[in-house]
Amino acid sequence: MDLATLLPFIVNVIVGGLVLGFVYAIIALGYTMVYGVLQLINFAHSEVFVTGAIVGYEVFRVLAPNPMNGYLKLLLALLAAMTVSGVLNVLIERLAYRPLRNAPRLVPLITAIGVSLILQDVLRVIEGFQGRFDLTYILPESFGTRFCAAQSSCAALGNVLRTIGIDLQVKDVILIVVALLSLGGLNYLVNRTRLGKAIRAVAQDRVTAGLMGIDADRMISMTFLIGGALGGISGVLFGLKVGTVNAYSGFDPGIVAFTAAVLGGIGSIPGAVLGGLVLGVIQNLIGVTNIFGQILGSANLQAIDASYQRIGAFLVLVLILIFKPTGLLGKSNVEKV
Amino acid sequence: MKKTALSLSVLAALALGSASAQTTVKIATLSPLSGGQSDLGTQIRNGAQLAVNEYKPLFKKIGLDLQLVAYDDQADPATGTAQARKIASDRQILAVVGTLNSGVAIPSSAALAPSHVAMVSPANTANQVTDRGLSNMNRIVARDDAQGPAGANFIARTLKAKKVYILNDKTAYGEGLAKEVEKALKADGVQVVANEGTEEKSDFSSIIAKIKLQRPDAVYFGGIYNQVGVFIKQLREAGINAPVIGGDGLDSSELATIAGQGANDIYFTTVAAPIEALPAAKVFATSFKQTFNDNAQGFGAFGYDAAKVVLQGILDAARANGNKAPSRMQVETAIRKGNFTGLLSGNVTFNSVGDRKSATLYVMNVQGGKYKLATTVPVKPARQ
């Protein structure tokens, strides 16, 4: 094992982790935004995300015979998923959380888990009526090709990237671009617009914001709409990356993304993104520890393979929370007296 | 004393009353009807339903009303065990067709053992299922310790691989299979670079990076199609074309759909023959399609066979019992000792622990998304 083979391998592992990390990051935003305004962990977010993935699948399926441009299909899939997931998230808040706003903290939490389970089976029934369970994305041919393939105009760049171990497909690049655009859009919305200011005000102190003339209920709905739309985007990205989704696909990424949100500091938007990326990369690095074990000749490290990925991610979470209880970018909450 | 005499006479009257009407006997199916493996679980239930439809008139002749009750185990051991307890408490259920997953069968059969409810599995392959020597657990398929070596021999002798990467899904099924394959490959002098467990269902990038680094000639994956399909898709997308071999968990038409463009050079050993490989199954496939508007798959045919073993066992026990509904214990014995003919997959007799005395393994190949039979391997359990 020399450096010339090992370096591309390590780069490959890190890049793979980053690509998935972007998906986790966008899902984590949904958890973190809702927590920011309501101090509620919206466990139904994993199903809001799967709804987006399924809507995206349906758009690609319906448009499959249509010869239109693949990127246009993607745009339509993203818009449809954002709309459906956003509206769904608003409805969940109206029906399940708003009536419980003044209940003890545990009540909405259990409700959220209940909503999550109900949605799973509703989604399964909807697809089941059409005799479908595992939904495999029918993507435009070009999405599956190598990024800057040998015959394309940017082949030189592609060759350089592949030499150092960055071997991406077009759809991976699409995923990263869409994720970055979503992050940019959200950042602008939250920090540069009146709506964002109002949402931040409600997150800071709902009562005072209300006294200043901000309609807190409306802002909370808007937060759920934005969080849901992001969930929809992440669903389509997940579908691009993984290729197959079903009504129950949300659980695993949901747990990981929630972990990412906590790792970054729950309630912090940049924290959620950082947490997602860090978790994606850490998971992958833990998954290949045994290779380093072979190189270093350490039997202990050789035993750590992909089966430790998830455990390792949670171990990292625990370690970070021991040293920084608020998460990587979380702000400590001063108890109001 | 008087009271007892009175209640006894009431009971006797009731018993006489019910004898003139039809006595209901039920068989249950226990398989995943919801969740990720409901596709296979529903096949088993539907296959069993066809067998019940066939046997209904035979049961009617001796005054028994035969019914099938379908239980959903969600492919989950805890759920399966809870359902098994429900089955045990319904005294009219005499035997069970199930389960799909070995991990579910092991605790469920243990829960049913004290009440002597016989189980005939159309799908369980883990050795432990029958190795515990329970009197109520039988299977009509080959065991893992046959499936592993058959898969390994195929890799070593037919594919002539020198270096193999093994993965498993960390379940009783996948891990057991991977272990057997590893043992048999090493005995054949093949290098095994890894035997790695993963519960990941969506992103295999770290594993694929390792496979890229180590360049195995073949990859063996002990797991279920919904996970392995995604893995194969991503493996092929990363430009690795090494053949992927697996066990009967890959036996689903969904595998090729999920793997998409990557559905090439996939082989799997399966205990449930593809419908095309069972000459006797033509009629069955037609009536399956008519009844359920769905194409019969291997597990549908084996669900049918398992149900036929159960029903013939109950019928034999009933005849030996003077054409009355037999006890669970009598059914259990009749199934274990019986000789069953006229099945889709050949004749069935069980050894002392409930393994089928002569079973067949089928090696299937997926090429360009199409399934075809590569070869068949006759197998016998160590105990006869």
Side-chain angles (χ1 to χ4, degrees):
Chain A
M1 226 37 98
D2 58 310
L3 205 62
T5 48
L6 204 60
L7 185 72
F9 166 70
I10 295 170
V11 173
N12 190 351
V13 170
I14 290 173
V15 169
L18 281 175
V19 172
L20 195 75
F22 273 112
V23 182
Y24 290 148
I26 311 280
I27 306 172
L29 286 172
Y31 284 102
T32 232
M33 284 185 70
V34 166
Y35 186 87
V37 295
L38 277 188
Q39 281 73 55
L40 160 78
I41 303 294
N42 180 12
F43 274 115
H45 189 71
S46 55
E47 276 58 53
V48 171
F49 143 84
V50 170
T51 305
I54 290 177
V55 170
Y57 158 82
E58 289 292 349
V59 171
F60 278 118
R61 184 180 65 84
V62 170
L63 296 179
N66 195 317
M68 71 163 80
N69 183 315
Y71 292 93
L72 193 60
K73 287 184 190 178
L74 175 72
L75 186 68
L76 290 172
L78 285 168
L79 289 174
M82 281 167 79
T83 311
V84 175
S85 294
V87 171
L88 175 68
N89 215 21
V90 171
L91 284 176
I92 292 170
E93 193 271 332
R94 277 306 299 262
L95 299 173
Y97 303 153
R98 191 170 296 182
L100 302 171
R101 197 160 297 164
N102 299 320
R105 293 273 301 264
L106 272 180
V107 177
L109 186 79
I110 298 295
T111 309
I113 294 173
V115 171
S116 162
L117 294 174
I118 291 168
L119 281 175
Q120 278 182 4
D121 283 328
V122 167
L123 290 170
R124 185 177 148 257
V125 166
I126 291 173
E127 283 299 330
F129 271 137
Q130 306 170 67
R132 283 194 290 267
F133 182 78
D134 281 311
L135 312 171
T136 302
Y137 268 60
I138 307 161
L139 293 174
E141 288 278 327
S142 59
F143 285 18
T145 52
R146 288 264 158 285
F147 175 62
C148 287
Q151 306 80 4
S152 68
S153 52
C154 60
L157 170 69
N159 285 338
V160 172
L161 288 177
R162 274 186 282 280
T163 317
I164 57 170
I166 303 175
D167 187 12
L168 293 174
Q169 286 176 278
V170 171
K171 62 179 191 180
D172 294 332
V173 179
I174 292 172
L175 189 155
I176 294 169
V177 171
V178 173
L180 289 173
L181 288 174
S182 316
L183 292 174
L186 179 71
N187 190 28
Y188 176 80
L189 195 72
V190 172
N191 293 321
R192 296 268 180 281
T193 62
R194 284 177 60 98
L195 173 70
K197 203 179 246 179
I199 287 177
R200 276 180 295 140
V202 171
Q204 210 167 23
D205 187 337
R206 196 186 311 155
V207 178
T208 314
L211 294 173
M212 299 292 148
I214 297 172
D215 182 350
D217 277 349
R218 220 181 119 247
M219 286 311 133
I220 289 168
S221 283
M222 288 308 291
T223 308
F224 272 83
L225 182 70
I226 297 164
L230 285 165
I233 294 175
S234 57
V236 177
L237 295 184
F238 186 78
L240 280 183
K241 172 86 188 113
V242 175
T244 300
V245 294
N246 64 44
Y248 303 94
S249 295
F251 186 78
D252 277 5
I255 291 284
V256 176
F258 169 59
T259 310
V262 174
L263 179 68
I266 189 89
S268 153
I269 289 174
V273 178
L274 184 68
L277 295 175
V278 166
L279 215 56
V281 173
I282 284 178
Q283 269 202 29
N284 267 14
L285 285 175
I286 290 168
V288 299
T289 309
N290 59 340
I291 298 287
F292 297 115
Q294 282 168 20
I295 295 163
L296 301 169
S298 149
N300 291 340
L301 288 182
Q302 275 188 49
I304 298 176
D305 60 15
S307 49
Y308 288 85
Q309 269 185 208
R310 195 62 48 87
I311 307 168
F314 282 105
L315 201 65
V316 169
L317 173 79
V318 170
L319 282 175
I320 288 180
L321 291 185
I322 287 172
F323 294 109
K324 199 163 181 318
T326 52
L328 291 172
L329 302 180
K331 293 184 184 60
S332 57
N333 222 344
V334 184
E335 208 41 61
K336 298 184 202 83
V337 183
Chain B
M1 199 59 219
K2 253 191 186 148
K3 258 192 181 155
T4 5
L6 185 70
S7 56
L8 275 177
S9 62
V10 170
L11 274 178
L14 279 174
L16 282 172
S18 62
S20 60
Q22 294 252 316
T23 318
T24 303
V25 294
K26 295 179 189 164
I27 69 164
T29 56
L30 182 60
S31 62
L33 303 175
S34 63
Q37 296 170 38
S38 51
D39 181 31
L40 303 178
T42 309
Q43 283 277 334
I44 290 173
R45 185 202 58 197
N46 291 351
Q49 183 67 57
L50 285 185
V52 165
N53 296 352
E54 215 169 292
Y55 268 76
K56 249 184 186 317
L58 297 173
F59 274 71
K60 222 182 186 88
K61 262 191 207 143
I62 56 169
L64 298 175
D65 174 34
L66 174 65
Q67 289 175 11
L68 178 112
V69 208
Y71 287 84
D72 180 8
D73 64 28
Q74 297 174 11
D76 169 53
T79 313
T81 312
Q83 297 286 48
R85 294 208 177 92
K86 270 190 213 155
I87 291 171
S89 66
D90 181 348
R91 304 298 304 176
Q92 291 176 316
I93 298 178
L94 298 178
V96 179
V97 173
T99 63
L100 173 66
N101 313 77
S102 300
V104 179
I106 291 163
S108 315
S109 54
L112 288 170
S115 44
H116 295 285
V117 180
M119 287 175 80
V120 177
S121 168
N124 300 154
T125 58
N127 303 339
Q128 220 199 322
V129 170
T130 50
D131 281 357
R132 295 164 304 151
L134 293 180
S135 57
N136 66 324
M137 185 77 228
N138 312 281
R139 61 169 135 217
I140 58 165
V141 291
R143 301 157 46 102
D144 273 356
D145 53 11
Q147 212 183 153
N153 290 346
F154 183 78
I155 293 172
R157 289 163 205 180
T158 310
L159 300 176
K160 303 224 179 333
K162 298 273 174 288
K163 194 168 159 186
V164 180
Y165 199 105
I166 302 179
L167 292 160
N168 70 70
D169 64 1
K170 292 173 83 172
T171 61
Y173 163 78
E175 208 163 354
L177 200 54
K179 217 175 271 166
E180 296 285 348
V181 169
E182 183 177 15
K183 212 160 60 186
L185 280 175
K186 283 180 172 161
D188 266 338
V190 176
Q191 188 197 350
V192 177
V193 281
N195 183 351
E196 191 166 24
T198 177
E199 286 163 330
E200 185 59 59
K201 286 186 176 56
S202 51
D203 177 70
F204 296 91
S205 59
S206 67
I207 293 170
I208 288 170
K210 286 195 277 192
I211 292 175
K212 224 175 178 159
L213 185 74
Q214 299 180 313
R215 302 210 175 140
D217 306 320
V219 179
Y220 188 92
F221 199 139
I224 305 283
Y225 70 91
N226 53 2
Q227 184 190 21
V228 182
V230 173
F231 165 76
I232 293 174
K233 181 187 173 89
Q234 294 180 8
L235 186 76
R236 298 283 182 254
E237 282 175 351
I240 300 165
N241 296 318
V244 178
I245 302 92
D248 58 338
L250 305 194
D251 191 0
S252 163
S253 54
E254 290 283 308
L255 176 75
T257 316
I258 294 172
Q261 300 283 328
N264 278 312
D265 293 317
I266 307 171
Y267 298 91
F268 56 87
T269 50
T270 180
V271 289
I275 292 288
E276 305 77 56
L278 297 168
K282 276 217 170 47
V283 180
F284 165 81
T286 316
S287 62
F288 193 100
K289 180 84 188 169
Q290 271 170 354
T291 318
F292 305 107
N293 192 19
D294 184 16
N295 290 326
Q297 295 172 28
F299 280 123
F302 276 72
Y304 171 84
D305 273 4
K308 264 186 116 157
V309 166
V310 162
L311 295 168
Q312 193 55 52
I314 296 176
L315 214 50
D316 293 350
R319 282 177 186 146
N321 199 25
N323 282 351
K324 282 204 296 292
S327 72
R328 286 170 164 183
M329 184 95 96
Q330 288 166 324
V331 172
E332 183 183 75
T333 314
I335 289 175
R336 180 64 54 90
K337 297 266 188 294
N339 182 358
F340 306 95
T341 53
L343 304 175
L344 303 176
S345 61
N347 298 345
V348 170
T349 44
F350 294 112
N351 69 1
S352 59
V353 292
D355 283 321
R356 187 173 180 170
K357 278 186 186 167
S358 61
T360 312
L361 273 178
Y362 307 82
V363 182
M364 299 293 294
N365 169 226
V366 184
Q367 211 64 38
K370 298 266 178 296
Y371 295 67
K372 57 179 197 291
L373 186 65
T375 176
T376 58
V377 188
V379 291
K380 289 190 182 325
R383 270 184 274 209
Q384 274 299 311

